Amino acid sequence: MADEKNRLGGKLHDVEAARENQWARQRDEELLEKMRERLHDHVCPKCKQVLVARTENGVHLHACPDGHGAWLEEPALKSLLKEHK
């Protein structure tokens, strides 16, 4: 009887571990997809190269490595506009 109880406990533990692993794999896939979407959003619309993050004169921006343009996030743009006034 005790041996049977131990086997059942072991099987329940295995099932729980399998469910946790499945959840973790699913969560990893969701996070990877979000990261891929983010990376896709940070490409040059003209040449499709990945934008390079850099700081120019204290302003954080993302620039095309081929010089097709640079993009600012809202806080950086607001800071520049404030300094310009």
Side-chain angles (χ1 to χ4, degrees), residues 4 6 8 13-14 18 30 33 38-39 51-52 68 79:
E4 194 174 307
N6 286 338
L8 180 59
H13 180 267
D14 292 345
E30 291 169 0
E33 184 60 31
R38 264 182 143 174
L39 182 61
L51 300 178
V52 178
H68 294 128
S79 174

Side-chain angles (χ1 to χ4, degrees), residues 62-85:
H62 299 276
C64 172
D66 287 342
H68 294 128
W71 290 262
L72 303 171
E73 294 182 5
E74 186 177 1
L77 179 60
K78 284 183 177 182
S79 174
L80 278 177
L81 291 173
K82 187 177 179 181
E83 288 177 20
H84 188 295
K85 289 182 179 181

